[in-house]
Amino acid sequence: QQQVKQSPQSLIVQKGGISIINCAYENTAFDYFPWYQQFPGKGPALLIAIRPDVSEKKEGRFTISFNKSAKQFSLHIMDSQPGDSATYFCAAETFYNQGGKLIFGQGTELSVKP
Amino acid sequence: NAGVTQTPKFQVLKTGQSMTLQCAQDMNHNSMYWYRQDPGMGLRLIYYSASEGTTDKGEVPNGYNVSRLNKREFSLRLESAAPSQTSVYFCATRQVWNTEAFFGQGTRLTVV
């Protein structure tokens, strides 16, 4: 049972375009939603994170949009660049009854074409 | 400052063999995690240790055991390897919940 569902599995975007990756969750106790970026042969690294008390968080070209009622959150990459080509993972966790169990989605392989 | 170090980086095992994956961190973090990464499945949590002296099952613990040896080290053991355990294994650490997790470079394990 996948607690965090991510889509699409792969995404091809032209340079300068907007990349959008979506995630949905069921556990309403989740209270921390990070996004991780992974380049080939490397471990994932934190990109940006949001808590459910805000609906949007922006860091440079990366924005998380959060819809608590729909139990969905998404990553938007504006002005996508070839250097953004990587695998992106959404994740979620709750402290209560989980003790810091960070659960990841299935991942999205993004390719930005020049 | 190495961060999170995993050994070995690559390993080929025969079905039924055992092995231990090692993870060491020099970040003085409390929590440590073992994940496996498979195509289309994302990162799945095998076991984690919220603090020294505690371990807990994740999403896919069957076939694995862990030991939190001390604050720095968290090992993952496969007692009798199976082809279904062919995967890339990542160790991660962080100070406390709701903070950034730092990952190692991964161990690519093939079971034949």
Side-chain angles (χ1 to χ4, degrees), chain A residues 1-2 9 31-32 36 38 41-44 46 51 89 93 95 98-107, chain B residues 33 35 37 39-45 48 50 57-59 90 94 97-105:
Chain A
Q1 181 184 355
Q2 194 77 30
Q9 190 169 346
D31 56 9
Y32 176 66
Y36 281 75
Q38 183 184 32
K42 304 291 186 182
L46 180 67
R51 289 183 168 77
F89 294 96
E93 77 167 330
F95 176 74
Q98 298 288 324
K101 186 187 291 188
L102 186 60
I103 304 298
F104 285 84
Q106 297 93 322
Chain B
Y33 304 79
Y35 289 90
Q37 181 174 12
M41 302 295 289
L43 290 157
R44 291 182 292 170
L45 182 63
Y48 68 107
K57 295 179 180 179
E59 302 168 273
F90 285 99
R94 58 181 177 166
W97 65 287
N98 279 9
T99 61
E100 180 176 2
F102 293 85
F103 284 78
Q105 295 278 56

Side-chain angles (χ1 to χ4, degrees), chain A residues 5 22-26 33 35 50 55 64-74:
Chain A
K5 295 183 179 180
N22 300 299
C23 283
Y25 62 96
E26 289 297 323
F33 302 90
W35 284 89
I50 197 168
S55 61
I64 300 179
S65 297
F66 184 80
N67 186 330
K68 190 173 182 178
S69 60
K71 292 185 287 185
Q72 294 176 349
F73 59 110
S74 60

Side-chain angles (χ1 to χ4, degrees), chain B residues 55-69:
Chain B
T55 60
D56 241 316
K57 295 179 180 179
E59 302 168 273
V60 289
N62 292 344
Y64 304 95
N65 285 301
V66 291
S67 295
R68 183 73 183 267
L69 304 170

Side-chain angles (χ1 to χ4, degrees), chain B residues 36-53:
Chain B
R36 58 177 291 173
Q37 181 174 12
D38 303 288
M41 302 295 289
L43 290 157
R44 291 182 292 170
L45 182 63
I46 305 171
Y47 271 94
Y48 68 107
S49 171
S51 61
E52 185 180 356

Side-chain angles (χ1 to χ4, degrees), chain A residues 10-23:
Chain A
S10 63
L11 181 61
I12 300 174
V13 174
Q14 293 295 317
K15 178 182 175 182
I18 303 173
S19 304
I20 301 174
I21 304 170
N22 300 299
C23 283

Side-chain angles (χ1 to χ4, degrees), chain B residues 1 28 44 71 78 80 84:
Chain B
N1 200 355
N28 200 34
R44 291 182 292 170
K71 190 172 184 179
L78 287 70
S80 179
S84 61

Side-chain angles (χ1 to χ4, degrees), chain A residues 43-109:
Chain A
L46 180 67
L47 185 63
I48 187 173
I50 197 168
R51 289 183 168 77
D53 53 342
V54 298
S55 61
E56 186 176 283
K57 183 174 181 179
K58 184 177 180 179
E59 289 184 4
R61 295 184 294 108
F62 300 91
T63 300
I64 300 179
S65 297
F66 184 80
N67 186 330
K68 190 173 182 178
S69 60
K71 292 185 287 185
Q72 294 176 349
F73 59 110
S74 60
L75 176 69
H76 295 235
I77 305 174
M78 311 299 289
D79 187 25
S80 299
Q81 299 297 312
D84 296 331
S85 297
T87 300
Y88 293 80
F89 294 96
C90 63
E93 77 167 330
T94 176
F95 176 74
Y96 299 103
N97 299 321
Q98 298 288 324
K101 186 187 291 188
L102 186 60
I103 304 298
F104 285 84
Q106 297 93 322
T108 296
E109 192 171 340

